[in-house]
Amino acid sequence: MQPQTVEAITSLIQEGEFFKLKQVLRDFQPSELVALIEEEEEREQLIIFRLLPLKLATEVFEYLDLEVQRHFLDNLAQDKMADILNEMSPDDRTALLEFLPANFVAELIQSLSEPERKVTLQLLGYPEYSVGRLMTPDYIAIRENWTVQQVLDHVRQHGGQSETLSVLYVTDPHGVLIDDIRIREFLLSAPTARVRDIMDRRYVPLNASQDQEEAIDIFRRNDRVALPVVSDQGILLGIVTLDDILTIREEEDTEDMQKLGGSEALDEPYLDTPLLRMVQKRAGWLVVLFLGELLTASAMQFFEGELQKAIVLVQFIPLIISSGGNSGSQATSLIIRAMALGEFTLSEWWRVLRREIISGLALGLILGVVGFARIAVWQQFSQIYGEHWLLVALTVGVALVGIVLWGSLAGSMLPLILRRLGLDPATSSAPFVATLVDVTGLIIYFSVALVILRGTLL
């Protein structure tokens, strides 16, 4: 929103021109009003929201941040908020109620009308993170013996209460879902045609108790704006729309990104998370990673004798461990994202293993050649690696091949193992894999050195 627009609205508030402001606000789109409210201070937010007509206020309220919604609930008259809650779509209202304390939820539910209270309690009764928590009962249901004209008349009469008109749902007299049909099929058919003549009985249902992550994959595979939600008996309970799925997808992606960075997932936006809670969520993984890195010191202590004999090997330790950690982090990130997109299944683990063996060897050879060449070039100018520089260069080159290969294998297989155990693959964060490869990389490095440099430097 333009700064001058915000300044004009603020000026009207400060001058007490509320009647004029009320008229001005009616010309704004809901998205513009959301942006305007988020730009203002808390006092101005309340004034603007109070001046909105009920329908517009409801649309704006549904798109506001949960913290702002909570602020309005705390400070606006109970009857106004009750009207807004009654007007809200059930899925958005459920998302709000999940965010509030239990005693506050109980009080708000009592303020709902009887039909809305029944729907809300039904939605809240489904397990957390289930499809039932996302669905809305606002849809258009039709019968297979209706004509196209009857369907269109029914849509005109009841369509204003539906979450979407893109798809209509055919049910039998018992409420069992038979088919879903895009509205365009009715618009292109003769008015006298029957619904059964248009049906193909090919539809993709969601189950109310199904996990939300599964619903995300089903939406992605089927390219739909809405999907029906059924009970175990096939009865149509509601629909889930694409906007709700996109919200969940964003939350899941955010959680995975935070875990990949080596932190517990934050439950709130970064700037809204209390500092103490932020420290708690980050400290656990840092302690685990720190303890893991202590094993690196133990590995170096184990090879202390070799280090004293061939001090030149110390120069390449940072190169060695960073290369392995980087390759492992790359593999982990690629595999976790591919799993999230459903690009392969766990039964195809051997294909992943084969690809990572080949790519790990190729990447290791590339880095090995670069490392060998670096030592050879420096030796020509400075003679810093001594008479056995060729063996030192060969040690570094061979070690890089082994370490990069191992990093690729560890980074790719660990997420698959965690998924097989029923754990979140994102837990195998890049820092965790890097720490694991650091320790084992040193062992590989010094083992290669013992073989190649035995009888010379060692």
Side-chain angles (χ1 to χ4, degrees):
M1 178 164 291
Q2 296 295 328
Q4 54 267 33
T5 304
V6 178
E7 292 175 5
I9 297 296
T10 305
S11 177
L12 288 174
I13 295 175
Q14 292 173 349
E15 294 170 4
E17 296 285 351
F18 298 131
F19 179 79
K20 184 177 180 180
L21 177 60
K22 186 174 183 178
Q23 301 303 315
V24 171
L25 293 175
R26 290 175 183 270
D27 297 330
F28 283 75
Q29 295 296 320
S31 59
E32 295 174 325
L33 288 169
V34 170
L36 173 63
I37 289 174
E38 290 177 348
E39 288 284 339
E40 295 286 357
E41 299 295 329
E42 291 185 350
R43 174 180 170 274
E44 285 74 18
Q45 288 179 344
L46 291 169
I47 293 174
I48 292 171
F49 193 74
R50 285 193 184 101
L51 295 175
L52 300 178
L54 177 60
K55 181 174 176 54
L56 185 56
T58 302
E59 293 182 49
V60 171
F61 190 81
E62 289 181 348
Y63 289 104
L64 288 172
D65 183 80
L66 286 173
E67 289 286 355
V68 180
Q69 289 180 338
R70 175 63 187 271
H71 172 62
F72 285 173
L73 288 170
D74 287 337
N75 292 277
L76 292 174
Q78 186 172 357
D79 56 346
K80 181 175 180 66
M81 292 313 306
D83 290 339
I84 290 175
L85 288 172
N86 278 306
E87 286 290 322
M88 287 179 70
S89 61
D91 52 341
D92 289 326
R93 184 170 57 233
T94 302
L96 170 63
L97 294 179
E98 285 178 332
F99 170 72
L100 301 174
N103 57 342
F104 201 3
V105 171
E107 182 180 339
L108 288 175
I109 287 177
Q110 294 305 314
S111 68
L112 299 175
S113 64
E114 186 62 33
E116 296 299 335
R117 185 184 307 138
K118 181 178 179 181
V119 170
T120 300
L121 288 173
Q122 182 181 8
L123 289 175
L124 287 172
Y126 290 105
E128 191 175 8
Y129 307 118
S130 69
V131 170
R133 292 294 188 98
L134 294 178
M135 72 178 182
T136 175
D138 296 333
Y139 57 88
I140 297 293
I142 58 177
R143 297 296 175 82
E144 62 178 324
N145 61 333
W146 289 7
T147 65
V148 169
Q149 187 60 55
Q150 286 178 300
V151 170
L152 295 177
D153 290 341
H154 184 73
V155 170
R156 291 189 188 96
Q157 184 177 358
H158 301 285
Q161 303 170 0
S162 177
E163 181 85 0
T164 177
L165 295 177
S166 300
V167 183
L168 308 183
Y169 301 91
V170 187
T171 59
D172 69 8
H174 302 290
V176 175
L177 180 65
I178 303 175
D179 201 1
D180 62 357
I181 306 176
R182 297 177 188 268
I183 189 68
R184 71 185 304 271
E185 299 296 332
F186 295 103
L187 297 175
L188 298 175
S189 299
T192 55
R194 298 281 178 180
V195 172
R196 68 170 64 93
D197 300 328
I198 304 174
M199 292 168 50
D200 60 9
R201 297 183 184 272
R202 293 164 55 190
Y203 61 93
V204 180
L206 300 172
N207 190 282
S209 58
Q210 200 168 6
D211 189 87
Q212 293 175 1
E213 286 196 29
E214 296 178 24
I216 293 172
D217 292 335
I218 294 173
F219 262 90
R220 182 179 53 80
R221 291 197 301 268
N222 292 278
D223 189 27
R224 304 297 291 272
V225 297
L227 285 177
V229 181
V230 300
S231 67
D232 293 335
Q233 294 75 37
I235 297 174
L236 180 60
L237 301 175
I239 64 173
V240 173
T241 53
L242 183 60
D243 60 328
D244 295 315
I245 290 297
L246 290 176
T247 299
I248 298 299
R249 176 76 274 178
E250 181 182 6
E251 293 174 355
E252 295 291 340
D253 287 345
T254 300
E255 182 178 323
D256 287 346
M257 288 296 293
Q258 290 167 348
K259 288 182 177 179
L260 275 172
S263 169
E264 292 183 42
L266 303 179
D267 301 322
E268 301 172 273
Y270 174 81
L271 292 177
D272 295 335
T273 304
L275 191 57
L276 179 59
R277 191 180 307 165
M278 176 86 70
V279 172
Q280 290 173 341
K281 288 184 174 292
R282 296 169 64 177
W285 266 113
L286 283 178
V287 170
V288 171
L289 296 173
F290 177 75
L291 294 175
E293 290 292 356
L294 288 178
L295 295 176
T296 304
S298 300
M300 292 183 67
Q301 185 177 9
F302 182 81
F303 291 101
E304 184 178 3
E306 286 73 18
L307 287 174
Q308 291 177 348
K309 295 177 183 177
I311 196 67
V312 68
L313 296 177
V314 178
Q315 301 178 37
F316 302 102
I317 289 178
L319 168 72
I320 293 295
I321 62 177
S322 64
S323 298
N326 290 339
S327 65
S329 299
Q330 278 186 342
T332 297
S333 301
L334 291 173
I335 295 302
I336 289 177
R337 187 56 182 165
M339 292 172 68
L341 295 176
E343 294 177 355
F344 62 84
T345 61
L346 286 178
S347 61
E348 297 176 292
W349 65 270
W350 59 273
R351 293 182 61 189
V352 177
L353 180 64
R354 184 178 63 189
R355 289 175 64 88
E356 288 302 318
I357 288 176
I358 296 173
S359 60
L361 281 172
L363 294 169
L365 284 170
I366 292 171
L367 293 185
V369 169
V370 172
F372 185 95
R374 190 268 187 193
I375 294 175
V377 171
W378 256 247
Q379 176 66 20
Q380 299 306 313
F381 290 100
S382 59
Q383 306 290 319
I384 61 173
Y385 300 122
E387 59 179 318
H388 301 293
W389 68 269
L390 187 60
L391 293 178
V392 172
L394 185 62
T395 298
V396 171
V398 173
L400 280 170
V401 174
I403 290 167
V404 172
L405 172 61
W406 165 242
S408 298
L409 292 178
S412 61
M413 291 296 105
L414 188 57
L416 298 179
I417 294 171
L418 290 175
R419 172 61 65 85
R420 174 62 69 187
L421 295 176
L423 302 175
D424 186 355
T427 306
S428 59
S429 63
F432 179 77
V433 171
T435 301
L436 172 65
V437 177
D438 284 353
V439 179
T440 51
L442 283 175
I443 297 174
I444 294 173
Y445 177 43
F446 288 117
S447 298
V448 170
L450 284 172
V451 173
I452 295 179
L453 298 177
R454 187 182 299 276
T456 54
L457 295 178
L458 299 179

